[in-house]
């Protein structure tokens, strides 16, 4: 009897709230939205019933209001209604939620920004369906939050939205044309946000538009090389190495830029001290740089018998001495690099690992 009474009471409250939301004054609509939020949070079945009663379209229309508390009541109710229901999310997108987002992010308070970001994060799980969330309104809203003085938690939610959108190949065009790559590269330099920003860049770099945008950026490759030095952020190192690999693959121009920016010593350090995955990627990159240098040296420099003047044959002893000299130069370069790495490792208390690596590694076994 008590259960039946509670269900009856809940049904009556729901009916009254829906009626007020549709036909009440603005104050009554606001109170109804708060009740709907509470009911949707407590009862999964109620979310479906509310959607059938048409509350979602009314709440979406309330999001466009300039009255802060009224707008927040609607957003919070929509967050609860979207929780775990494909149908309700689809209804919100059909109702045009993206067109209700504020045009000027500066006039939106921090709490409302966070709630908008939370709602968009929930809706972005629909990005792999026929609903397109990669609209200019949504992307510019997200970029506005990410480039403003918003909280870390709010920015993380926005990055989560961009990550979900970037996972869909068809979204690459709108994301790149709206300047998302530039924003992600800037945020990747902040350790608190770097992992999520790099993960989204990892999706975009495999597309032609995304790759070109990164190649043309003034922050590449320097910002990615800097991230490779973050020993306390192994996941960021792995993601950065992955992006560098995609950019460097079959592009001598990009490899030349990276080489001039000083990537080789950094890769050598990662190949020795990084995580297992980061080491593999660093070793692969080092092999590419080594092969390219040998290719360049072949036709342009080094002892070449075809260019020795007639009457001046190269003496065998001179050839042996030349090889010895080159070996010594390689060893000296290796020792300098290892000393630099050892000094850095000493600062982090990991010198024993480096020393053991140094003792067990010969110049022949190194990839570069």
């Amino acid at each position: 009897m008590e259960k039946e009474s509670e269900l009856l009471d809940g049904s009556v409250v729901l009916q009254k709230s829906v009626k007020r939301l549709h036909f009440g004054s603005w104050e009554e609509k606001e109170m109804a939205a708060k009740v709907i939020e509470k009911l949707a949070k407590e009862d999964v079945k109620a979310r479906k019933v509310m959607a059938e009663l048409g509350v979602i379209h009314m709440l979406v229309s309330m999001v466009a209001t300039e009255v802060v508390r009224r707008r927040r009541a609607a957003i919070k109710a929509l967050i609860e209604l979207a929780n775990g229901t494909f149908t309700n999310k689809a209804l919100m997108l059909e109702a045009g939620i993206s067109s209700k987002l504020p045009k000027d992010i500066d006039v939106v308070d921090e709490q409302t920004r966070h709630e908008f970001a939370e709602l968009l994060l929930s809706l972005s799980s629909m990005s792999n369906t026929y609903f397109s969330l990669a609209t200019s309104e949504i992307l510019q809203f997200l970029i506005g939050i990410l480039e403003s003085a918003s909280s870390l938690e709010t920015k993380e939610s926005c990055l989560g939205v961009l990550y979900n959108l970037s996972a869909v190949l068809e979204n690459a065009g709108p994301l790149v044309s709206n300047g998302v790559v530039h924003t992600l590269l800037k945020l990747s330099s902040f350790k608190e946000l770097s992992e999520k920003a790099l993960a989204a860049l990892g999706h975009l770099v495999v597309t032609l538009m995304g790759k070109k945008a990164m190649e043309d950026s003034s922050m590449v490759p320097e910002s990615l090389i800097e991230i490779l030095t973050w020993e306390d952020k192994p996941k960021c190192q792995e993601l950065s190495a992955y992006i560098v690999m995609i950019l460097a693959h079959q592009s001598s121009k990009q490899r030349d830029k990276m080489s001039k920016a000083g990537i080789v010593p950094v890769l050598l350090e990662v190949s020795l001290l990084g995580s297992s995955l980061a080491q593999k990627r660093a070793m692969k990159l080092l092999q590419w740089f080594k092969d390219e240098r040998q290719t360049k040296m072949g036709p342009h420099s080094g002892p070449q018998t075809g260019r020795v003047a007639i009457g001046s044959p190269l003496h065998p002893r001179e050839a042996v001495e030349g090889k010895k000299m080159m070996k010594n130069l390689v060893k000296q370069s290796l020792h300098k690099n290892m000393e630099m790495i050892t000094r850095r490792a000493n600062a982090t208390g990991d010198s024993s690992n480096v020393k053991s690596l140094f003792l067990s590694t010969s110049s022949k076994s190194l990839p570069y």
Side-chain angles (χ1 to χ4, degrees), residues 40-150:
K41 191 174 185 178
E42 293 172 351
D43 188 356
V44 178
K45 291 181 180 178
R47 296 173 198 165
K48 183 180 178 181
V49 175
M50 288 182 215
E52 292 171 350
L53 293 172
V55 302
I56 289 177
H57 277 72
M58 184 56 66
L59 289 168
V60 168
S61 67
M62 284 177 65
V63 170
T65 181
E66 293 182 2
V67 180
V68 175
R69 67 176 188 277
R70 196 175 298 154
R71 179 166 59 189
R72 284 192 59 199
I75 297 169
K76 290 167 79 173
L78 287 170
I79 290 171
E80 295 302 333
L81 285 167
N83 187 16
T85 59
F86 177 93
T87 303
N88 287 5
K89 290 175 185 178
L91 288 171
M92 291 176 201
L93 293 170
E94 286 177 355
I97 186 69
S98 62
S99 64
K100 311 297 181 185
L101 299 173
K103 300 293 185 289
D104 186 3
I105 196 66
D106 294 328
V107 300
V108 182
D109 65 282
E110 172 56 35
Q111 192 57 41
T112 306
R113 291 181 193 182
H114 177 70
E115 286 159 0
F116 264 126
E118 193 177 344
L119 177 59
L120 290 175
L121 180 59
S122 178
L123 295 176
S124 68
S125 63
M126 303 274 288
S127 59
N128 60 348
T129 66
Y130 58 89
F131 292 102
S132 176
L133 277 85
T135 62
S136 293
E137 294 93 345
I138 289 179
L139 295 177
Q140 289 304 315
F141 180 76
L142 293 170
I143 290 172
I145 292 179
L146 290 169
E147 295 188 347
S148 68
S150 299

Side-chain angles (χ1 to χ4, degrees), residues 204-262:
L204 292 172
V205 75
V206 298
T207 67
L208 289 175
M209 289 185 71
K211 186 178 180 184
K212 189 176 187 309
M214 289 181 221
E215 289 174 344
D216 294 341
S217 173
S218 59
M219 290 180 278
V220 175
E222 286 78 7
S223 63
L224 296 171
I225 294 173
E226 174 62 27
I227 293 167
L228 286 172
T229 66
W230 294 354
E231 295 174 11
D232 57 331
K233 292 285 184 180
K235 187 65 178 177
C236 292
Q237 281 186 320
E238 292 169 4
L239 290 167
S240 181
Y242 171 76
I243 295 169
V244 169
M245 283 183 73
I246 301 297
L247 293 174
H249 183 60
Q250 293 183 346
S251 176
S252 58
K253 182 181 177 182
Q254 290 302 312
R255 290 196 293 271
D256 188 52
K257 279 175 64 178
M258 293 173 188
S259 184
K260 288 177 180 177

